[in-house]
Amino acid sequence: MAEKSRNFIEEIIDADLKDGRTRKVITRFPPEPNGYLHIGHAKSICLNFGLAESYKGYCNLRFDDTNPVKEDVEYIEAIKRDIEWLGFHWENECYGSDYFEFMYECALTLVEKGLAYVCDLTAEEIREYRGTLTQPGKNSPYRERSTEENLALFQKMRAGAFADGEKVLRAKIDMASPNLNMRDPVIYRIVHAPHHRTGDAWCIYPMYDFAHPLEDAMEAITHSVCTMEFEDHRPLYDWFIENCDCKNVPHQYEFARLSLTHTLMSKRYLKKLVDDGVVSGWDDPRMPTLSGVRRRGYTPEAIRDFAERIGVSKANSEVDIKLLEHCVREDLNKNATRLMGVLRPLKLTVTNYPEGKTETFMAEDLPGGEEKHEVVFSRNLFIEQEDFMEVKPNNKYFRLSVGGEVRLKNAYIIKCESVVKDGQGNITEVLCTYDPDSSTGGPTAGRKVKGTLHWAEEKTALPATVRLYDYLIDEQGELNTDSLTILNHALVEPFAGKARGRGRFQFIRQGYFTIDELDSEPGTLVFNQIVVLKDSFAKTLKS
RNA sequence: UGGGGUGUAGCCAAGUGGUAAGGCACGGGACUUUGACUCCCGCAUUCGUAGGUUCAAAUCCUGCCACCCCAGCCA
């Protein structure tokens, strides 16, 4: 049995700790409050909070709210709820906007050092001056303004003297750098829009590249872990830390973001699904959001286990969603209360069982477990339509057919004697006899029969609405609107009533059904079916 | 065709000069009052590729190939 290997970031930290560069590990999880967290964020959350946990440091939750037009307080609460649900605790709840004054001071420092200037070029002109991937850019005509003029102009920007887009503050670095991020990046832009936290206190807002390192420095972050696309922003990150004379020197490290097969995770698409009404909201059980999979019955333990298993590396990869499903099943299998349920009821009458008689059997909550609940048996039952065929198709058929025997789980072995049909020839009822000695502990309890069926008793079973969330995309890769939501009625054992709102249970064979904790509709169950958003659907959204 | 990054099994991923961990998936078998679970067994003579160094290379060197990211006043 091999030891759990350390990921490359842990090795960096080990080295930093060893040679004294770091005394206490401080990380941060810095979402922009512009959408809900999804499984991809879970990887980052587990990494950042997990690192802090295992090195006995701490992790801050920081809302990177430097762009007022995209952000909203609605998302802040949702994000906090999801992180807590995953089981992590932040040391400090921070906001980039809390540091606006500090960032402004830093910008002033850069201006005073001659390392930043106010530029009057339009957005289009800046793009033209930036050059291309293969050609160097050229200097802005405003690049050589005097420090005094820059100071005055920047202060006027803050004071609201200019309209949106009229001027920007830029870092003076190198317009010929092969790294486009270093070609005099914009660090402040004018946005006359109310900010969800600072209101109209500001009309200039710092850009990510400028704000992020300063936020990290402000919070004494030691290891600023982000995704690969920021790798070539690192020289800029270091440039700001150095030139703004930061006391704390954080370092940025990058890892590959999570990509899952059959799943779309960009906020842009998820937001479109919500805005277009394709789903009922960010927490629709078909969504790959944390709030969505939570409603689908995923557990935080399963997600954390998944994050652990996929590892952390720099290789861009696509993880098979089967691994996520495996983690969920494994956790559910250990902890999910077992109940029986019948989705599409087919009447079953035990003809040799006395009318009016009932018996109570004990059913294990978990296989082999101590906890049990009662199930009532009588002459009048229901089984799943799918579990019956008048004529068995072959010898690999494990369910009930005329002349065949099966066990009703937790109860008796029954034999199908005949069926009742309606005028159209549809089977409306199955007539069976039972073996009175075959219940648990009985003389013939050990008899081997082909299969075991779930069942529900006519009078004691609870009706419930089961919502089957099916694939958004059919096998041909086309959007199948008919399958979006299928409502079914089901009968479940009385125990379901007690479990409602907290329990999870395994249902029938293939899937896990969970009790929807967030749905207000009583007795609503959600079929644990993963949402599939195939590439073709991504194309549909793009067009 | 500028810069940055990544290539180990169908999918992730360890491995840091001493002869390819582990998980998922998959296949076979045992067990079973869930066709589930559990338990066994199998699954890379080879690490993108071509050379080189070495007693020894996935690991070091050189060339080549493939894929990802960057030209927002988004993050």
Side-chain angles (χ1 to χ4, degrees):
Chain A
M1 190 62 196
E3 290 278 305
K4 163 75 188 134
S5 55
R6 330 212 76 200
N7 66 50
F8 75 97
I9 294 176
E10 291 170 322
E11 291 190 356
I12 288 167
I13 294 177
D14 288 342
D16 289 347
L17 252 16
K18 193 177 174 191
D19 67 17
R21 271 192 298 263
T22 301
R23 285 209 203 88
K24 186 186 182 79
V25 175
I26 306 174
T27 58
R28 102 267 93 111
F29 173 65
E32 183 186 16
N34 68 344
Y36 279 52
L37 263 24
H38 52 63
I39 299 274
H41 292 108
K43 179 181 180 184
S44 175
I45 292 169
C46 292
L47 215 209
N48 279 298
F49 283 91
L51 246 22
E53 239 167 53
S54 57
Y55 287 96
K56 301 197 165 40
Y58 63 79
C59 181
N60 286 347
L61 167 60
R62 180 167 73 226
F63 291 99
D64 212 350
D65 55 351
T66 56
N67 185 359
V69 302
K70 286 196 172 181
E71 297 150 10
D72 197 282
V73 284
E74 173 204 347
Y75 300 120
I76 292 176
E77 289 314 307
I79 288 168
K80 286 162 65 175
R81 196 164 55 234
D82 288 343
I83 296 171
E84 285 174 333
W85 176 70
L86 277 179
F88 293 108
H89 306 284
W90 50 87
E91 179 83 4
N92 304 111
E93 180 179 330
C94 307
Y95 293 83
S97 54
D98 287 345
Y99 315 135
F100 279 172
E101 193 62 47
F102 166 71
M103 294 176 192
Y104 178 76
E105 295 296 326
C106 287
L108 247 23
T109 303
L110 290 180
V111 172
E112 279 159 6
K113 286 182 170 185
L115 292 175
Y117 62 96
V118 172
C119 183
D120 297 3
L121 255 28
T122 64
E124 299 73 53
E125 288 167 334
I126 286 180
R127 195 189 321 128
E128 286 161 20
Y129 275 70
R130 189 156 30 226
T132 68
L133 294 177
T134 52
Q135 289 167 270
K138 55 186 183 190
N139 288 169
S140 161
Y142 305 98
R143 200 172 197 260
E144 300 308 328
R145 286 219 251 234
S146 69
T147 299
E148 294 65 36
E149 190 184 357
N150 281 141
L151 235 29
L153 251 20
F154 186 47
Q155 279 157 356
K156 283 183 79 177
M157 276 171 66
R158 176 183 183 170
F162 308 113
D164 288 8
E166 209 175 320
K167 286 179 168 42
V168 291
L169 184 71
R170 294 227 255 167
K172 190 192 283 190
I173 308 180
D174 177 11
M175 289 306 290
S177 171
N179 181 347
L180 303 222
N181 296 117
M182 302 299 273
R183 319 243 262 228
D184 289 9
V186 171
I187 59 182
Y188 263 97
R189 76 286 213 182
I190 299 169
V191 182
H192 288 275
H195 185 280
H196 56 99
R197 295 194 87 236
T198 60
D200 54 6
W202 295 86
C203 63
I204 56 171
Y205 292 92
M207 298 288 287
Y208 167 86
D209 282 321
F210 179 65
H212 209 87
L214 297 178
E215 292 162 359
D216 286 341
M218 207 53 187
E219 295 171 24
I221 300 302
T222 54
H223 300 263
S224 182
V225 182
C226 64
T227 44
M228 292 300 286
E229 65 269 27
F230 294 105
E231 196 157 32
D232 41 36
H233 292 235
R234 191 174 353 118
L236 226 201
Y237 181 99
D238 294 338
W239 191 91
F240 285 126
I241 290 294
E242 187 184 338
N243 290 299
C244 294
D245 306 317
C246 294
K247 281 204 312 283
N248 301 307
V249 182
H251 291 280
Q252 176 185 298
Y253 302 95
E254 310 83 13
F255 72 99
R257 66 185 329 141
L258 172 65
S259 171
L260 278 179
T261 58
H262 310 301
T263 310
L264 234 33
M265 235 137 32
S266 92
K267 265 190 215 169
R268 189 185 146 207
Y269 296 130
L270 298 184
K271 187 163 172 23
K272 187 166 168 56
L273 289 173
V274 174
D275 292 345
D276 292 357
V278 176
V279 294
S280 61
W282 287 92
D283 65 347
D284 186 294
R286 291 163 292 176
M287 294 283 270
T289 51
L290 294 179
S291 49
V293 299
R294 172 168 64 228
R295 291 184 65 190
R296 207 187 301 155
Y298 282 32
T299 58
E301 292 75 18
I303 293 169
R304 290 174 68 152
D305 179 41
F306 173 69
E308 191 68 36
R309 294 204 203 195
I310 56 177
V312 179
S313 77
K314 292 169 93 83
N316 76 330
S317 56
E318 189 177 41
V319 177
D320 194 331
I321 197 149
K322 285 188 162 85
L323 178 57
L324 208 211
E325 293 175 327
H326 167 82
C327 293
V328 175
R329 268 187 242 110
E330 188 175 76
D331 182 56
L332 251 22
N333 185 45
K334 267 184 276 185
N335 305 307
T337 299
R338 265 59 166 184
L339 298 177
M340 293 189 291
V342 173
L343 217 49
R344 297 170 194 79
L346 172 61
K347 194 173 181 198
L348 185 151
T349 303
V350 187
T351 54
N352 60 340
Y353 198 86
E355 198 107 31
K357 176 181 175 181
T358 60
E359 271 178 283
T360 300
F361 293 110
M362 297 309 291
E364 290 171 336
D365 291 354
L366 288 173
E370 295 293 304
E371 306 287 305
K372 290 181 168 62
H373 58 275
E374 298 180 340
V375 289
V376 176
F377 185 88
S378 80
R379 178 188 168 93
N380 304 112
L381 311 172
F382 291 102
I383 60 167
E384 191 67 47
Q385 279 173 27
E386 271 187 11
D387 286 345
F388 183 80
M389 280 181 94
E390 189 170 6
V391 181
K392 68 171 181 178
N394 54 49
N395 272 335
K396 296 285 275 179
Y397 187 70
F398 289 81
R399 311 183 197 185
L400 190 60
S401 56
V402 176
E405 275 191 312
V406 294
R407 173 175 290 281
L408 292 177
K409 190 170 167 60
N410 301 128
Y412 297 107
I413 291 173
I414 55 163
K415 180 177 185 183
C416 177
E417 306 289 353
S418 61
V419 295
V420 178
K421 294 183 181 177
D422 64 12
Q424 275 78 254
N426 301 312
I427 297 168
T428 56
E429 185 181 353
V430 179
L431 301 177
C432 300
T433 52
Y434 81 112
D435 173 356
D437 292 332
S438 63
S439 65
T440 307
T444 57
R447 266 176 65 208
K448 302 287 178 225
V449 288
K450 201 70 180 173
T452 303
L453 263 41
H454 274 224
W455 51 275
E457 195 275 324
E458 184 187 46
K459 289 209 165 59
T460 53
L462 287 178
T465 301
V466 171
R467 202 171 283 186
L468 277 180
Y469 288 97
D470 214 334
Y471 292 89
L472 284 176
I473 297 292
D474 65 22
E475 290 306 310
Q476 281 70 48
E478 299 301 316
L479 180 63
N480 181 349
T481 50
D482 295 337
S483 70
L484 290 186
T485 302
I486 304 165
L487 288 176
N488 275 283
H489 291 285
L491 295 166
V492 298
E493 349 166 3
F495 191 73
K498 283 187 264 176
R500 189 160 66 79
R502 62 173 175 81
R504 298 182 179 82
F505 66 100
Q506 193 187 32
F507 199 60
I508 315 182
R509 276 168 286 278
Q510 281 83 4
Y512 291 91
F513 286 68
T514 68
I515 294 172
D516 188 346
E517 299 176 56
L518 299 184
D519 205 301
S520 55
E521 214 175 321
T524 296
L525 310 176
V526 177
F527 184 33
N528 176 38
Q529 176 70 286
I530 193 79
V531 175
V532 169
L533 297 169
K534 286 185 181 163
D535 297 342
S536 61
F537 189 50
K539 287 185 196 109
T540 308
L541 282 175
K542 277 175 194 160
S543 60

